[in-house]
Amino acid sequence: MSSNETPEIVDEQVSSPLPPPPFMKRDPALTVPNDRQCAEFWQRFDMLENVAAHSLEVARVATFLAQRAHELGMDVDVPTVRASALLHDIAKTYCILHGGNHSQLGGAWVADFTENPAIATGVTHHVYWPFEMDIAKYFTPLAVIYADKRVRHDRLVTLQSRFDDLIKRYGVNEYIRGRIEITMAQAIDLENALCETLEVDLNACTFDSGRLV
């Protein structure tokens, strides 16, 4: 297992008994950390350099999605999405060293030090989304999920490439392979929904000011 990620498998119940989180518009009174503040949080939690590099690339993709949504008139706060993406792996280093669920622990940490539930939701659910896939209603966590699935280490890749790599490295038994396949199926559905909603072919996009490859 590499030092910069643990298996991206479903770490929540596929059919959650809990209701989905409430729709959270940005509250102007809530703090949204900027890039410098997020980097300070990385340092506070001893984030490995390769995890930080991965987080920067995920944030680049998620920010593009948020900016495109904003351009189309959707009620999306770009800084909130970017901060959630920058912080999505805040607990990865700790869990590599000590074990545990990095998305759940990270979400708890982010909720504590930002006091911003919209940002924390994106961190908590960046592996798998157990509720309805409503892009407009849950844009932040869905954007972070998708961005994370398009970045292997610190490189932009296709979903197929990302999951082929996960199967190769972590698919040691039928159960784990099955969980990875569930996550991949959701990622494909999410990509299709984002392409339709944002009116962009995300497989032909560099995620840099809308330039196409």
Side-chain angles (χ1 to χ4, degrees), residues 8-10 128 163 166-167 173-188:
E8 289 283 340
I9 62 175
V10 177
Y128 185 82
F163 282 94
L166 293 173
I167 288 286
N173 58 50
E174 185 175 349
Y175 174 78
I176 292 178
R177 289 192 296 272
R179 303 305 276 179
I180 293 174
E181 289 169 0
I182 289 172
T183 309
M184 180 178 179
Q186 182 183 77
I188 292 171

mmCIF file of all heavy atoms in Angstrom, residues 8-10 128 163 166-167 173-188:
data_model
loop_
_atom_site.group_PDB
_atom_site.id
_atom_site.type_symbol
_atom_site.label_atom_id
_atom_site.label_comp_id
_atom_site.label_asym_id
_atom_site.label_seq_id
_atom_site.Cartn_x
_atom_site.Cartn_y
_atom_site.Cartn_z
ATOM 1 N N GLU A 8 -9.699 3.279 -1.759
ATOM 2 C CA GLU A 8 -10.909 4.075 -1.949
ATOM 3 C C GLU A 8 -12.083 3.120 -2.126
ATOM 4 O O GLU A 8 -12.527 2.842 -3.232
ATOM 5 C CB GLU A 8 -10.758 4.965 -3.184
ATOM 6 C CG GLU A 8 -9.786 6.103 -2.992
ATOM 7 C CD GLU A 8 -10.394 7.233 -2.183
ATOM 8 O OE1 GLU A 8 -11.626 7.301 -2.100
ATOM 9 O OE2 GLU A 8 -9.645 8.052 -1.650
ATOM 10 N N ILE A 9 -12.565 2.579 -1.017
ATOM 11 C CA ILE A 9 -13.710 1.688 -1.069
ATOM 12 C C ILE A 9 -14.868 2.336 -0.338
ATOM 13 O O ILE A 9 -14.703 3.335 0.346
ATOM 14 C CB ILE A 9 -13.394 0.311 -0.448
ATOM 15 C CG1 ILE A 9 -13.034 0.465 1.038
ATOM 16 C CG2 ILE A 9 -12.267 -0.360 -1.192
ATOM 17 C CD1 ILE A 9 -12.837 -0.842 1.744
ATOM 18 N N VAL A 10 -16.040 1.800 -0.512
ATOM 19 C CA VAL A 10 -17.211 2.326 0.169
ATOM 20 C C VAL A 10 -17.028 2.151 1.664
ATOM 21 O O VAL A 10 -16.862 1.040 2.150
ATOM 22 C CB VAL A 10 -18.486 1.592 -0.290
ATOM 23 C CG1 VAL A 10 -19.683 2.109 0.476
ATOM 24 C CG2 VAL A 10 -18.694 1.765 -1.784
ATOM 25 N N TYR A 128 -17.846 8.216 -0.626
ATOM 26 C CA TYR A 128 -19.084 7.661 -1.180
ATOM 27 C C TYR A 128 -20.261 8.477 -0.668
ATOM 28 O O TYR A 128 -20.296 8.879 0.498
ATOM 29 C CB TYR A 128 -19.241 6.187 -0.764
ATOM 30 C CG TYR A 128 -20.435 5.500 -1.380
ATOM 31 C CD1 TYR A 128 -20.361 4.982 -2.665
ATOM 32 C CD2 TYR A 128 -21.620 5.370 -0.683
ATOM 33 C CE1 TYR A 128 -21.449 4.346 -3.242
ATOM 34 C CE2 TYR A 128 -22.718 4.736 -1.254
ATOM 35 C CZ TYR A 128 -22.628 4.233 -2.534
ATOM 36 O OH TYR A 128 -23.712 3.612 -3.099
ATOM 37 N N PHE A 163 -9.871 3.857 -11.177
ATOM 38 C CA PHE A 163 -10.396 2.645 -10.545
ATOM 39 C C PHE A 163 -9.656 1.389 -10.982
ATOM 40 O O PHE A 163 -9.559 0.435 -10.208
ATOM 41 C CB PHE A 163 -11.900 2.548 -10.784
ATOM 42 C CG PHE A 163 -12.698 3.447 -9.875
ATOM 43 C CD1 PHE A 163 -13.073 4.712 -10.278
ATOM 44 C CD2 PHE A 163 -13.030 3.035 -8.595
ATOM 45 C CE1 PHE A 163 -13.781 5.547 -9.429
ATOM 46 C CE2 PHE A 163 -13.740 3.856 -7.738
ATOM 47 C CZ PHE A 163 -14.116 5.118 -8.149
ATOM 48 N N LEU A 166 -6.949 1.249 -8.533
ATOM 49 C CA LEU A 166 -7.405 0.823 -7.210
ATOM 50 C C LEU A 166 -7.638 -0.689 -7.158
ATOM 51 O O LEU A 166 -7.265 -1.354 -6.186
ATOM 52 C CB LEU A 166 -8.684 1.574 -6.837
ATOM 53 C CG LEU A 166 -8.531 3.076 -6.600
ATOM 54 C CD1 LEU A 166 -9.897 3.726 -6.404
ATOM 55 C CD2 LEU A 166 -7.646 3.345 -5.391
ATOM 56 N N ILE A 167 -8.249 -1.211 -8.216
ATOM 57 C CA ILE A 167 -8.477 -2.660 -8.275
ATOM 58 C C ILE A 167 -7.141 -3.403 -8.277
ATOM 59 O O ILE A 167 -6.968 -4.411 -7.577
ATOM 60 C CB ILE A 167 -9.293 -3.032 -9.531
ATOM 61 C CG1 ILE A 167 -10.754 -2.569 -9.382
ATOM 62 C CG2 ILE A 167 -9.230 -4.532 -9.787
ATOM 63 C CD1 ILE A 167 -11.579 -3.398 -8.424
ATOM 64 N N ASN A 173 -9.348 -9.242 -2.551
ATOM 65 C CA ASN A 173 -10.368 -10.279 -2.406
ATOM 66 C C ASN A 173 -11.663 -9.800 -3.041
ATOM 67 O O ASN A 173 -11.800 -8.635 -3.437
ATOM 68 C CB ASN A 173 -10.578 -10.651 -0.935
ATOM 69 C CG ASN A 173 -10.979 -9.461 -0.074
ATOM 70 O OD1 ASN A 173 -11.907 -8.718 -0.408
ATOM 71 N ND2 ASN A 173 -10.285 -9.284 1.049
ATOM 72 N N GLU A 174 -12.599 -10.718 -3.153
ATOM 73 C CA GLU A 174 -13.850 -10.413 -3.854
ATOM 74 C C GLU A 174 -14.639 -9.320 -3.158
ATOM 75 O O GLU A 174 -15.259 -8.474 -3.820
ATOM 76 C CB GLU A 174 -14.692 -11.689 -3.950
ATOM 77 C CG GLU A 174 -15.964 -11.525 -4.759
ATOM 78 C CD GLU A 174 -16.708 -12.831 -4.935
ATOM 79 O OE1 GLU A 174 -16.129 -13.893 -4.608
ATOM 80 O OE2 GLU A 174 -17.865 -12.786 -5.392
ATOM 81 N N TYR A 175 -14.620 -9.301 -1.841
ATOM 82 C CA TYR A 175 -15.370 -8.284 -1.103
ATOM 83 C C TYR A 175 -14.850 -6.884 -1.421
ATOM 84 O O TYR A 175 -15.629 -5.989 -1.755
ATOM 85 C CB TYR A 175 -15.271 -8.533 0.400
ATOM 86 C CG TYR A 175 -15.895 -7.427 1.221
ATOM 87 C CD1 TYR A 175 -17.275 -7.336 1.372
ATOM 88 C CD2 TYR A 175 -15.093 -6.458 1.817
ATOM 89 C CE1 TYR A 175 -17.845 -6.312 2.110
ATOM 90 C CE2 TYR A 175 -15.664 -5.425 2.551
ATOM 91 C CZ TYR A 175 -17.034 -5.362 2.701
ATOM 92 O OH TYR A 175 -17.593 -4.341 3.422
ATOM 93 N N ILE A 176 -13.544 -6.692 -1.335
ATOM 94 C CA ILE A 176 -12.977 -5.369 -1.594
ATOM 95 C C ILE A 176 -13.198 -4.962 -3.042
ATOM 96 O O ILE A 176 -13.556 -3.818 -3.337
ATOM 97 C CB ILE A 176 -11.479 -5.335 -1.230
ATOM 98 C CG1 ILE A 176 -11.301 -5.471 0.278
ATOM 99 C CG2 ILE A 176 -10.831 -4.048 -1.731
ATOM 100 C CD1 ILE A 176 -9.859 -5.485 0.736
ATOM 101 N N ARG A 177 -13.015 -5.900 -3.966
ATOM 102 C CA ARG A 177 -13.264 -5.579 -5.375
ATOM 103 C C ARG A 177 -14.706 -5.157 -5.593
ATOM 104 O O ARG A 177 -14.994 -4.220 -6.340
ATOM 105 C CB ARG A 177 -12.912 -6.787 -6.257
ATOM 106 C CG ARG A 177 -11.416 -7.061 -6.363
ATOM 107 C CD ARG A 177 -11.115 -8.060 -7.467
ATOM 108 N NE ARG A 177 -11.694 -9.373 -7.188
ATOM 109 C CZ ARG A 177 -11.081 -10.324 -6.492
ATOM 110 N NH1 ARG A 177 -9.866 -10.110 -6.002
ATOM 111 N NH2 ARG A 177 -11.654 -11.494 -6.291
ATOM 112 N N GLY A 178 -15.626 -5.844 -4.919
ATOM 113 C CA GLY A 178 -17.036 -5.492 -5.049
ATOM 114 C C GLY A 178 -17.327 -4.096 -4.526
ATOM 115 O O GLY A 178 -18.105 -3.345 -5.128
ATOM 116 N N ARG A 179 -16.693 -3.716 -3.408
ATOM 117 C CA ARG A 179 -16.910 -2.378 -2.846
ATOM 118 C C ARG A 179 -16.322 -1.300 -3.747
ATOM 119 O O ARG A 179 -16.914 -0.234 -3.930
ATOM 120 C CB ARG A 179 -16.292 -2.293 -1.451
ATOM 121 C CG ARG A 179 -16.796 -3.324 -0.466
ATOM 122 C CD ARG A 179 -18.289 -3.329 -0.311
ATOM 123 N NE ARG A 179 -18.748 -2.326 0.631
ATOM 124 C CZ ARG A 179 -20.030 -2.114 0.929
ATOM 125 N NH1 ARG A 179 -20.974 -2.849 0.339
ATOM 126 N NH2 ARG A 179 -20.375 -1.189 1.794
ATOM 127 N N ILE A 180 -15.165 -1.595 -4.334
ATOM 128 C CA ILE A 180 -14.573 -0.634 -5.271
ATOM 129 C C ILE A 180 -15.474 -0.478 -6.492
ATOM 130 O O ILE A 180 -15.672 0.639 -6.993
ATOM 131 C CB ILE A 180 -13.157 -1.090 -5.683
ATOM 132 C CG1 ILE A 180 -12.214 -1.031 -4.474
ATOM 133 C CG2 ILE A 180 -12.613 -0.202 -6.800
ATOM 134 C CD1 ILE A 180 -10.830 -1.596 -4.751
ATOM 135 N N GLU A 181 -16.038 -1.567 -6.965
ATOM 136 C CA GLU A 181 -16.931 -1.496 -8.134
ATOM 137 C C GLU A 181 -18.194 -0.696 -7.828
ATOM 138 O O GLU A 181 -18.706 0.030 -8.702
ATOM 139 C CB GLU A 181 -17.277 -2.906 -8.597
ATOM 140 C CG GLU A 181 -16.086 -3.624 -9.252
ATOM 141 C CD GLU A 181 -16.333 -5.099 -9.482
ATOM 142 O OE1 GLU A 181 -17.441 -5.580 -9.123
ATOM 143 O OE2 GLU A 181 -15.429 -5.771 -10.002
ATOM 144 N N ILE A 182 -18.718 -0.804 -6.614
ATOM 145 C CA ILE A 182 -19.875 0.005 -6.222
ATOM 146 C C ILE A 182 -19.523 1.493 -6.266
ATOM 147 O O ILE A 182 -20.279 2.327 -6.785
ATOM 148 C CB ILE A 182 -20.350 -0.385 -4.802
ATOM 149 C CG1 ILE A 182 -20.994 -1.767 -4.828
ATOM 150 C CG2 ILE A 182 -21.338 0.642 -4.248
ATOM 151 C CD1 ILE A 182 -21.310 -2.317 -3.444
ATOM 152 N N THR A 183 -18.360 1.821 -5.733
ATOM 153 C CA THR A 183 -17.922 3.217 -5.731
ATOM 154 C C THR A 183 -17.703 3.717 -7.155
ATOM 155 O O THR A 183 -18.037 4.862 -7.483
ATOM 156 C CB THR A 183 -16.625 3.360 -4.917
ATOM 157 O OG1 THR A 183 -16.797 2.741 -3.644
ATOM 158 C CG2 THR A 183 -16.278 4.819 -4.708
ATOM 159 N N MET A 184 -17.152 2.864 -8.011
ATOM 160 C CA MET A 184 -16.925 3.259 -9.404
ATOM 161 C C MET A 184 -18.243 3.517 -10.130
ATOM 162 O O MET A 184 -18.375 4.490 -10.878
ATOM 163 C CB MET A 184 -16.131 2.182 -10.138
ATOM 164 C CG MET A 184 -15.850 2.535 -11.592
ATOM 165 S SD MET A 184 -14.852 1.286 -12.440
ATOM 166 C CE MET A 184 -14.774 2.017 -14.085
ATOM 167 N N ALA A 185 -19.223 2.650 -9.902
ATOM 168 C CA ALA A 185 -20.521 2.831 -10.550
ATOM 169 C C ALA A 185 -21.136 4.170 -10.145
ATOM 170 O O ALA A 185 -21.703 4.888 -10.981
ATOM 171 C CB ALA A 185 -21.456 1.679 -10.183
ATOM 172 N N GLN A 186 -21.016 4.517 -8.869
ATOM 173 C CA GLN A 186 -21.548 5.810 -8.444
ATOM 174 C C GLN A 186 -20.772 6.956 -9.085
ATOM 175 O O GLN A 186 -21.374 7.960 -9.503
ATOM 176 C CB GLN A 186 -21.497 5.943 -6.929
ATOM 177 C CG GLN A 186 -22.100 7.258 -6.455
ATOM 178 C CD GLN A 186 -21.996 7.469 -4.958
ATOM 179 O OE1 GLN A 186 -20.935 7.812 -4.455
ATOM 180 N NE2 GLN A 186 -23.094 7.256 -4.253
ATOM 181 N N ALA A 187 -19.462 6.822 -9.171
ATOM 182 C CA ALA A 187 -18.643 7.879 -9.766
ATOM 183 C C ALA A 187 -19.023 8.109 -11.227
ATOM 184 O O ALA A 187 -19.063 9.258 -11.696
ATOM 185 C CB ALA A 187 -17.163 7.527 -9.645
ATOM 186 N N ILE A 188 -19.304 7.039 -11.954
ATOM 187 C CA ILE A 188 -19.716 7.175 -13.355
ATOM 188 C C ILE A 188 -21.061 7.890 -13.447
ATOM 189 O O ILE A 188 -21.258 8.783 -14.279
ATOM 190 C CB ILE A 188 -19.772 5.790 -14.025
ATOM 191 C CG1 ILE A 188 -18.361 5.210 -14.152
ATOM 192 C CG2 ILE A 188 -20.440 5.883 -15.400
ATOM 193 C CD1 ILE A 188 -18.324 3.761 -14.604
#
